[in-house]
Amino acid sequence: MRAGSHISIRNGYLEAAKTALKLGAAAFQYFPKNPRSLGIKQFNRQDAEACARFCREQGLSSIAHSPYPTNLASEDAALREATVRSLRNDLAIAEACGSVGVVVHFGKYKGGDTLQGYKNIIQCLHEVLSDWQGEAKLLIENQAGEGSLMGTTLEELMQIHKLSDRRSHIGFCLDTCHAFACGLWPAAQGGWPELAAKAQSIGYFEHLLAVHLNDSVYACGQYKDRHANIGQGYIGEARFRELLQWARTQDLPVVLETPVPKGMTHAPEIAYVRKLAGD
């Protein structure tokens, strides 16, 4: 397990990696560009490649996260075209930075035929990856179910993976708050072993390449995506200890997307996560 947190690239990709190391992290996540825009970024390749070298030297793992407007399921032609261009740009940046991949959500489908929404996702993934030859992958993240139930089950994610012509370039990122919010991670005692057994049986773990570690402001099954600090939400310390002791045996980036008080950093929470994992 490589514990870490989301880091700003305000001072560049290399500085983001250095900041992660100062926090005691072994992994970090970053937005490769403006998170509120699908615009194409002409990035500093020297800075990105310096980040990759630093991460290799220090044993750091990183993942990128696509901008908020990204929507694989959209029916809107202009948004879909922008999504494809943006994700190709994200992959190029992630590749230059030496990152595992780019986290992406299904997005939301607003049409009446849900099956068409899934077709849109598969086609969009195909367009993004049709000529991609890099090592960085698209990491599909499970959704909380807020506004749409698409992307809330492991079976859906595996089916999308199976139906993709470019499945070797697709992996998964498990978000713990999302899994709890939609009931995928059961609230009852033994919930993680139950989820883990299902994930193992359908082959999900074979493609799991990252974890978003977030507690939940709301109770299980309320379909609300609101992150809380680890042990301070409805998931709670005991359930996280169970998950993290499993994650400890996996060589995965486990990244916090939790609130940080003004003037503070994620360093204490990263240390706490390691303690729960038994490191």
Side-chain angles (χ1 to χ4, degrees), residues 94-107:
E95 183 77 7
C97 288
S99 302
V100 174
V102 179
V103 177
V104 61
H105 303 176
F106 273 9

Side-chain angles (χ1 to χ4, degrees), residues 179-236:
F180 189 75
C182 70
L184 175 62
W185 184 0
Q189 186 176 5
W192 174 251
E194 181 181 330
L195 174 55
K198 175 189 282 188
Q200 185 68 41
S201 69
I202 66 174
Y204 175 83
F205 280 157
E206 294 175 25
H207 310 290
L208 180 63
L209 298 177
V211 175
H212 282 167
L213 199 69
N214 304 303
D215 211 324
S216 176
V217 170
Y218 291 97
C220 184
Q222 292 197 17
Y223 302 105
K224 291 185 178 181
D225 180 15
R226 301 293 186 278
H227 299 179
N229 294 98
I230 305 304
Q232 297 180 27
Y234 275 91
I235 297 176

Side-chain angles (χ1 to χ4, degrees), residues 128-182:
V128 172
L129 297 170
S130 60
D131 57 357
W132 177 245
Q133 300 300 321
E135 295 296 319
K137 299 177 186 286
L138 287 182
L139 309 180
I140 301 176
E141 181 177 353
N142 58 301
Q143 298 191 166
E146 191 167 19
S148 170
L149 293 180
M150 291 182 73
T152 58
T153 71
L154 300 186
E155 290 84 356
E156 287 173 89
L157 302 180
M158 286 298 296
Q159 187 69 356
I160 291 294
H161 186 274
K162 178 182 178 181
L163 293 174
S164 173
D165 291 338
R166 304 286 286 170
R167 67 181 69 92
S168 63
H169 296 287
I170 298 172
F172 299 125
C173 175
L174 176 68
D175 187 294
T176 58
C177 175
H178 297 179
F180 189 75
C182 70

Side-chain angles (χ1 to χ4, degrees), residues 15 71 145 174:
E15 284 303 313
N71 192 336
L174 176 68

Side-chain angles (χ1 to χ4, degrees), residues 1-8 16-17 19-30 59-63 210-214 229-230 244 247 252-260 265-275 277 279:
M1 182 187 80
R2 298 168 177 263
S5 64
H6 189 94
I7 303 288
S8 169
T19 297
L21 195 66
K22 290 175 184 175
L23 296 179
F28 67 99
Q29 177 179 266
Y30 61 97
L60 277 170
S61 179
S62 70
I63 54 175
V211 175
H212 282 167
L213 199 69
N214 304 303
N229 294 98
I230 305 304
L244 287 165
L252 295 172
V254 177
V255 177
L256 294 162
E257 296 180 310
T258 52
V260 182
T265 72
H266 266 119
E269 197 168 13
I270 291 170
Y272 174 55
V273 164
R274 284 183 164 160
K275 180 181 178 181
D279 281 355

